[in-house]
Amino acid sequence: MSLLVQKFGGSSVANLERIRNVANKIKKFKDKGDDLIIVLSAMSGETDRLLNLAKSIDQFPNQREMDVILSTGEQVTVALLSMTLNAMGIKAKSYTGTQAGILTNNVHTKAKIQSIAEDRIRKDLDDGYVVVVAGFQGVTIDGEITTLGRGGSDTTAVALAAQFKADECQIYTDVDGVYTTDPRIEKKARKLDTITFEEMLELASLGSKVLQIRSVELAGKYNVPLRVLSSLLEEPGNGTLITFEEKEHYVESEIITGIALNRDETQITVLGVPDTPGIAFNILDAIGQENIDVDLIVQNISEDGTTDFTFTVNAPDYDRALMITQKVADSMNARQVFGRTDIAKLSIVGVGMRSNSGVASRMFHALAQEKINILMISTSEIKVSVIIESKYAELAVRVLHDEFNLHIEP
Ligand code: ADP
Ligand code: ASP
Ligand code: MG
């Protein structure tokens, strides 16, 4: 008998038939005697629908109201699943984030979990209930509803697993594990039985949306055993386990573990900024004040006392970031501001890069052979990222998957 936290994503609860499928899976664990905390997403497409409704009223909707509307999607699915379980004779109770006592800070639409109340859920578990918690949401100390950023139900699940010291946190989704790259882009992508925590952290932060980055960070911080599995297969198998041990020995061929593609990247450029100390600070501080994360940054060599400054932000923040940058640029007498949204970030990740030089140049060479132009570059110890035009994104993924022979078991 174990305590398991199981999270089912949007496509796993997309309609009543899928919800029944989830209920049947839960029944199997319940019959074995496991205690279960279930975390659900909204039905697939629902969060986008709500977002678009809000945006059709106001391009920059009030962030508090945004959270009030966005949190409703998950409230629907948890109630429907609990009703389905009850109808099958299984005791179940749904909880919104507020009811579950998931306390967050007050950064609307990107809130971070600060604590989780234990008593109510613990009592329900002791009384034999399946506890069904709405993912992606919480509440501030002042009682305001918050959401945790797109894909945030993964983070709700890992946070609950950490709080209740679950034996495992299982993320059920529409693929049967973590692959060498998005299997929807590269048919030859290979499922990984295990992936190191470090590599998963990079892949998630670089855009492999199979796990939200915050969920991986939390799993690392609290040593939560984390597994990705299929909700759609009758027998989900072992999926992919995120491991915390260092890779003991990896074969020479295993330089790259995975490729991530982030289509949600956008670029903002300020041309002709007077090249004086503090430019980067002035622009980036104004953006940071609005809780917008800046990703890649490039400042050109200055010519005639002026310079160009380019950075990238996530697509949902693009309009606001552009507006703020325009204001700062005007106050600095910069020549021009322009943005583009037709870009993507492509990254290769692998702990094997530490002991292999020349990986970046091999990547650049492979892209050059396909005449794919690189707009920006960023590297760290275990990853290389490039910004390219989004029209080449999928081709680039396949080219690199072939270049590094990722379809072959090392
Ligand atoms: P959920 O709705 O269950 O949270 P997501 O859509 O957020 O599911 O994440 C699952 C999707 O992540 C898959 O359908 C797949 O297209 C995508 N994905 C991207 N990179 C990878 C990868 N390396 N391995 C597996 N899936 C990936
Ligand atoms: N429903 C939210 C989203 O679409 C949260 C999640 O699915 O994890 O981003
Ligand atoms: Mg997700």
Side-chain angles (χ1 to χ4, degrees), residues 7 9-10 40-43 47-48 70 74 135-136 149-154:
K7 178 254 172 178
L40 297 187
S41 289
M43 292 181 176
T47 308
D48 285 330
L70 288 185
E74 274 70 9
F136 174 57
R150 298 308 303 269
S153 301
D154 299 332

Side-chain angles (χ1 to χ4, degrees), residues 106-378:
N106 59 9
V107 182
H108 282 292
T109 73
K110 296 177 186 175
K112 289 194 173 159
I113 298 177
Q114 292 177 327
S115 65
I116 298 180
E118 261 201 57
D119 295 2
R120 267 180 93 177
I121 292 180
R122 185 67 76 186
K123 178 162 189 313
D124 279 348
L125 290 174
D126 291 345
D127 291 345
Y129 281 92
V130 174
V131 172
V132 186
V133 181
F136 174 57
Q137 56 181 269
V139 67
T140 68
I141 191 124
D142 302 318
E144 298 286 2
I145 296 174
T146 51
T147 62
L148 310 179
R150 298 308 303 269
S153 301
D154 299 332
T155 301
T156 304
V158 175
L160 283 163
Q163 182 70 40
F164 288 88
K165 304 198 171 50
D167 295 290
E168 194 162 277
C169 181
Q170 303 178 334
I171 306 289
Y172 288 88
T173 183
D174 56 2
V175 286
D176 62 345
V178 179
Y179 279 70
T180 47
T181 194
D182 189 337
R184 290 180 206 290
I185 298 177
E186 171 56 273
K187 294 279 166 281
K188 288 185 286 177
R190 183 167 48 83
K191 184 178 89 70
L192 304 165
D193 293 332
T194 62
I195 182 166
T196 68
F197 162 72
E198 256 191 305
E199 288 170 326
M200 192 62 240
L201 199 62
E202 284 287 3
L203 283 181
S205 84
L206 296 169
S208 297
K209 65 173 183 162
V210 61
L211 287 176
Q212 198 202 31
I213 169 83
R214 294 272 309 136
S215 72
V216 186
E217 282 169 1
L218 270 185
K221 193 162 166 195
Y222 296 101
N223 261 296
V224 176
L226 183 60
R227 195 184 288 278
V228 177
L229 307 130
S230 163
S231 72
L232 306 176
L233 294 178
E234 188 60 41
E235 284 303 326
N238 291 326
T240 301
L241 181 68
I242 287 78
T243 59
F244 295 99
E245 297 90 55
E246 295 274 309
K247 253 188 204 172
E248 270 177 18
H249 33 241
Y250 31 90
V251 251
E252 208 182 5
S253 58
E254 197 184 1
I255 305 168
I256 302 301
T257 304
I259 300 172
L261 176 65
N262 184 0
R263 297 173 213 258
D264 255 2
E265 202 95 10
T266 64
Q267 197 182 45
I268 295 177
T269 299
V270 190
L271 290 179
V273 203
D275 193 9
T276 51
I279 327 165
F281 172 76
N282 284 337
I283 299 174
L284 299 183
D285 184 53
I287 303 266
Q289 296 281 342
E290 290 290 315
N291 289 304
I292 296 173
D293 293 328
V294 169
D295 187 12
L296 270 61
I297 304 170
V298 172
Q299 183 176 333
N300 291 359
I301 293 172
S302 111
E303 263 179 68
D304 340 315
T306 68
T307 185
D308 305 333
F309 190 81
T310 302
F311 59 93
T312 64
V313 296
N314 280 329
D317 292 327
Y318 174 73
D319 291 334
R320 273 193 311 143
L322 194 61
M323 187 181 65
I324 298 163
T325 309
Q326 186 68 59
K327 270 194 207 150
V328 181
D330 289 346
S331 73
M332 292 192 304
N333 287 319
R335 194 169 72 240
Q336 195 194 343
V337 174
F338 69 86
R340 61 189 293 187
T341 53
D342 63 337
I343 58 158
K345 182 167 71 175
L346 175 71
S347 310
I348 54 175
V349 171
V351 290
M353 260 189 237
R354 287 202 178 105
S355 46
N356 284 279
S357 56
V359 177
S361 63
R362 208 169 138 191
M363 175 186 192
F364 303 155
H365 182 248
L367 294 176
Q369 287 212 307
E370 294 294 328
K371 306 216 165 11
I372 299 172
N373 196 23
I374 297 172
L375 307 174
M376 290 167 100
I377 298 173
S378 157

